[in-house]
Amino acid sequence: MKAKNFVVSGIVAGVVSFLLGWLLYGFIFKDIFPQDENMNLLFVVLGSMTYGFFASYIMNRFSIIKNPIIGIQIGATIGFFYSLSMNFFNYSNIPVNYETMAIDILIAIATGACVGTSIAFVNGKLK
């Protein structure tokens, strides 16, 4: 694994994850996912960056992904499984809202696909 690819694509992927989360959860689906006034933005940024580096690690450790189509597929898969596991944990002690769960999973798949594409794009540009 090239450290430069991991770090640069991880940062770009984290920024993409944050911006998509801001757009999707903060504006488009804000009625479904209301924001708490006590939300800590630093933790949102750190979570987005962690997700970006996690996806970057997978896509750079096992094979340096440079093809955007492969990036979309791997990113969407990562987003699906990550979101599915988190929704199972989140709904473990509250009543299940299947519609909200499905929307959250679809958002995560779309975000993961964009994150995967950004990683593949950055890897394609780096030498």
Side-chain angles (χ1 to χ4, degrees), residues 21-22 24-27 29-39 44:
W22 172 70
L24 294 170
Y25 290 107
F27 287 101
F29 295 103
K30 68 179 179 181
D31 295 335
I32 298 171
F33 302 101
Q35 304 302 310
D36 186 0
E37 60 274 351
N38 296 324
M39 183 175 62
V44 174

Side-chain angles (χ1 to χ4, degrees), residues 38-113:
N38 296 324
M39 183 175 62
N40 188 336
L41 189 59
L42 174 63
F43 283 170
V44 174
V45 170
L46 291 174
S48 296
M49 296 306 293
T50 302
Y51 183 73
F53 279 106
F54 173 66
S56 177
Y57 178 79
I58 290 171
M59 294 176 71
N60 283 296
R61 172 64 176 96
F62 302 105
S63 175
I64 296 179
I65 305 299
K66 295 181 180 180
N67 183 334
I69 301 301
I70 303 294
I72 288 171
Q73 294 171 345
I74 293 173
T77 303
I78 292 169
F80 171 73
F81 283 112
Y82 173 76
S83 178
L84 192 63
S85 70
M86 292 310 299
N87 273 282
F88 286 152
F89 283 125
N90 289 338
Y91 284 109
S92 65
N93 59 357
I94 61 172
V96 177
N97 183 332
Y98 292 104
E99 181 180 344
T100 302
M101 179 189 267
I103 291 170
D104 189 40
I105 291 169
L106 291 174
I107 289 171
I109 291 170
T111 301

